[in-house]
Amino acid sequence: MITRAEAAYVGALRAFQNPMLDLLHKRHAPLVVALLSVTFTVDRPTVPVADAHTEISDALEQLRAAGYDESVPTGSARDLCRQWADAGWLVRQVLDDDVEVYRLSAHAVGALEVAGRAGGARARISHSRVRTMLDAVERLAQDADPDVLVRMARLDAEIRRLQQELARVQRTGTVEEVDDEQLLEEAENVLHLARELPADFARVAESIKAMQRDVVTALRQDSRPTGDVLREYLERGEHVMESTSEGRAFAGALRLIGDPQRLDELATQLDVVLSHRFTHRLPPHQRTELREIGRRIEQGLDLVFAAQREASYVITAQVRNHDPLRDRQVDELLRDVMTGLQTWMPDSRRGQPVEPLRRLPVAEVDHLRQTAGDLRPPRPPAPLTDWDDSADVDISQDEARAWGGPHYADLAELLASSATEAGRTDVAAAFNAAPDALRRPVDLLGLLEIADQHGMTETGELAFVDAIRPDGTRRRFAFGGVTTQTTKDHGDD
């Protein structure tokens, strides 16, 4: 039976296999944290590969010149970045404009946050932090308790408290001021919560990418019919956000922070906070952090949405462009080739001739064409008739007008004359009741245009009308039924 000490030790070993703790546990952890924090900032979440190599190389030279030779590892900046990418601290990706960039992984972001909190002011137990915890527990208890009477009692108590506060403010005309020390505590608590957002967003994006890799791998190894594979994996590609626990949690948080109006309110509230006198007691970098909370949220949302779009695109492209059976046959062929090479190499010697392949295997073709195609080229279209611009064509003005645009004045009178007592006109009914001269297809468009100017209301039903061209041909049209507000004086427009 495993002891408590052994279980704790096994859990600690498993925890230190996490790339975040592995980064902080390394010998050169201070150097890695310093270089990553200097290269990647809030304003610069991604850095082109060439620029990152150059900047890290310059930073290494500056540290060596300052006398930190023993703390700087050997090797070039390119080698260090490659090691950090292999360790899971950097992610290398190609953007839409074919520029290859580095970005911090969720593990690296978390390690930088831990190092920043440990090196700066420690979070203190305060009124704000305790209130945050108590409010969270209270909200959890309310959401978990299905008792209707208990919920009604809590709402009544909250309403009475708010009414008492409103009455006091109306009576006194003053608001109780909070001392600057408590405001500072609350600001530190807000900053503490905001510092965890980048790592949370990065973890969501990486969970989506991991799900994408799992889906593509499973797709290549799937032995089911292609139709079944298409249906399942296209559905997973469309609902990629619900496929991971981090994605489902993010979807819930998105309902709070994804509304542009909510972000605008957040920016306004932060401006109010920063205009207060107590913020002058905050260090400059903390005031900057407060000001950038909204932008951090927007950058995190962009990161997650970009990962979601990429995963959906990759999964859909994999399903549409790859046949699982064909890919599996190619994989088996490559494995056979590798097995043959491994068998042949130990017994072979330099310069030994290789028996060539005398004949290719016979292709497995189910059916061949039994008739030859038509070798004659396709017949060209008939030549266009010559148009004589100088010929006298007797076309009256009325005939030309009949093939022209809508008769707006007549159509406006038609709508007004078809109005009911309430002033509403059904566009389809008015068109069907019009004389033949006003039932051209173009007049239907003119009716809808006039109706839109006066405000259209959809009826929810499908309307059918018969249009008559000037040459007498008819055509039937269908569209969503609409009514418009018209009066008898609309014909004067």
Side-chain angles (χ1 to χ4, degrees):
M1 182 177 179
I2 188 172
T3 62
R4 291 180 58 189
E6 184 180 358
Y9 181 68
V10 171
L13 288 178
R14 188 182 304 109
F16 272 86
Q17 292 175 357
N18 184 288
M20 183 183 76
L21 293 182
D22 184 51
L23 188 156
L24 298 175
H25 188 64
K26 292 293 185 181
R27 172 189 172 190
H28 298 293
L31 176 69
V32 177
V33 170
L35 293 179
L36 292 181
S37 61
V38 170
T39 307
F40 300 90
T41 62
V42 177
D43 300 327
R44 199 185 183 199
T46 60
V47 180
V49 170
D51 294 347
H53 293 166
T54 301
E55 295 176 15
I56 293 176
S57 178
D58 293 341
L60 292 175
E61 292 298 329
Q62 295 173 9
L63 291 175
R64 291 190 182 100
Y68 296 99
D69 293 336
E70 298 181 356
S71 301
V72 177
T74 58
S76 63
R78 184 188 303 272
D79 297 334
L80 288 179
C81 290
R82 186 181 297 112
Q83 295 174 9
W84 297 344
D86 294 339
W89 305 333
L90 285 181
V91 177
R92 194 166 181 166
Q93 65 183 89
V94 179
L95 301 181
D96 295 337
D97 52 359
D98 295 333
V99 177
E100 195 171 16
V101 298
Y102 285 125
R103 66 173 179 83
L104 294 178
S105 68
H107 306 295
V109 174
L112 294 183
E113 294 297 337
V114 171
R117 290 196 300 267
R122 296 180 58 86
R124 300 171 295 172
I125 184 69
S126 63
H127 175 271
S128 177
R129 291 176 63 81
V130 172
R131 188 180 63 184
T132 300
M133 182 191 67
L134 294 179
D135 289 344
V137 173
E138 182 181 2
R139 173 63 62 181
L140 177 61
Q142 292 178 1
D143 293 340
D145 190 356
D147 193 323
V148 177
L149 296 179
V150 173
R151 178 64 60 88
M152 292 173 59
R154 288 174 178 170
L155 292 176
D156 288 338
E158 181 68 13
I159 291 173
R160 287 195 300 270
R161 185 185 66 81
L162 294 176
Q163 288 177 342
Q164 293 174 0
E165 175 66 14
L166 177 61
R168 187 195 64 79
V169 173
Q170 291 176 341
R171 184 179 64 256
T172 61
T174 60
V175 178
E176 293 184 358
E177 294 189 5
V178 181
D179 62 343
D180 291 353
E181 193 64 32
Q182 183 175 344
L183 292 176
L184 285 173
E185 292 177 359
E186 294 182 0
E188 291 177 356
N189 186 35
V190 170
L191 291 174
H192 173 74
L193 297 174
R195 292 189 186 106
E196 299 178 355
L197 289 177
D200 293 338
F201 283 122
R203 275 190 290 270
V204 175
E206 291 188 2
S207 70
I208 295 175
K209 291 182 179 295
M211 186 278 303
Q212 166 197 322
R213 292 190 294 268
D214 295 341
V215 168
V216 173
T217 301
L219 176 62
R220 291 173 177 171
Q221 299 174 354
D222 211 316
S223 58
R224 292 173 296 164
T226 304
D228 296 342
V229 175
L230 287 173
R231 282 190 295 270
E232 177 178 341
Y233 288 104
L234 279 176
E235 182 178 357
R236 291 191 67 178
E238 293 175 358
H239 303 88
V240 63
M241 188 63 76
E242 291 80 12
S243 301
T244 63
S245 58
E246 293 87 355
R248 289 189 293 272
F250 171 77
L254 184 60
R255 289 191 289 269
L256 293 177
I257 61 177
D259 185 5
Q261 183 177 357
R262 181 65 63 89
L263 292 178
D264 292 340
E265 293 175 356
L266 175 63
T268 302
Q269 293 166 355
L270 290 174
D271 290 339
V272 172
V273 171
L274 291 170
S275 63
H276 199 277
R277 64 177 183 274
F278 85 92
T279 55
H280 297 292
R281 298 174 56 182
L282 291 172
H285 70 277
Q286 289 188 351
R287 291 198 298 271
T288 303
E289 285 186 53
L290 273 176
R291 188 178 296 107
E292 298 295 331
I293 287 178
R295 196 152 61 88
R296 279 194 175 190
I297 294 176
E298 293 177 353
Q299 290 177 347
L301 292 175
D302 292 340
L303 176 64
V304 175
F305 291 150
Q308 182 185 11
R309 289 192 300 269
E310 181 181 356
S312 299
Y313 172 78
V314 170
I315 294 174
T316 304
Q318 175 69 26
V319 170
R320 290 176 176 171
N321 301 327
H322 293 271
D323 183 357
L325 180 60
R326 182 191 61 192
D327 293 346
R328 188 163 57 255
Q329 290 176 344
V330 173
D331 292 340
E332 292 176 355
L333 178 60
L334 291 176
R335 282 195 295 269
D336 291 342
V337 172
M338 295 300 298
T339 302
L341 287 174
Q342 293 174 358
T343 304
W344 177 76
M345 285 296 294
D347 299 332
S348 64
R349 61 183 182 275
R350 185 176 181 181
Q352 178 181 351
V354 179
E355 186 68 19
L357 183 64
R358 299 297 181 182
R359 55 181 298 179
L360 294 173
V362 179
E364 297 179 1
V365 181
D366 294 337
H367 182 71
L368 290 176
R369 294 190 60 177
Q370 299 177 356
T371 59
D374 191 356
L375 301 180
R376 292 173 298 180
R379 184 174 302 175
L384 299 175
T385 58
D386 294 334
W387 180 266
D388 188 6
D389 293 330
S390 62
D392 294 334
V393 181
D394 187 13
I395 299 178
S396 66
Q397 184 177 359
D398 292 337
E399 290 177 343
R401 184 69 181 88
W403 290 98
H407 301 293
Y408 287 106
D410 297 336
L411 293 175
E413 292 179 0
L414 174 65
L415 285 177
S417 62
S418 303
T420 62
E421 294 296 333
R424 303 296 299 182
T425 300
D426 187 286
V427 175
F431 182 84
N432 286 326
D436 293 350
L438 292 180
R439 289 178 60 187
R440 301 173 302 160
V442 70
D443 290 326
L444 177 60
L445 295 178
L447 274 180
L448 293 173
E449 182 180 354
I450 296 174
D452 180 70
Q453 294 174 359
H454 294 288
M456 292 194 305
T457 302
E458 296 182 358
T459 63
E461 299 178 355
L462 193 61
F464 297 89
V465 295
D466 292 320
I468 304 175
R469 295 190 177 93
D471 58 359
T473 59
R474 293 174 174 267
R475 184 170 182 182
R476 190 172 179 82
F477 292 95
F479 60 97
V482 293
T483 62
T484 182
Q485 183 68 35
T486 56
T487 57
K488 297 296 183 181
D489 59 350
H490 283 168
D492 298 334
D493 292 345

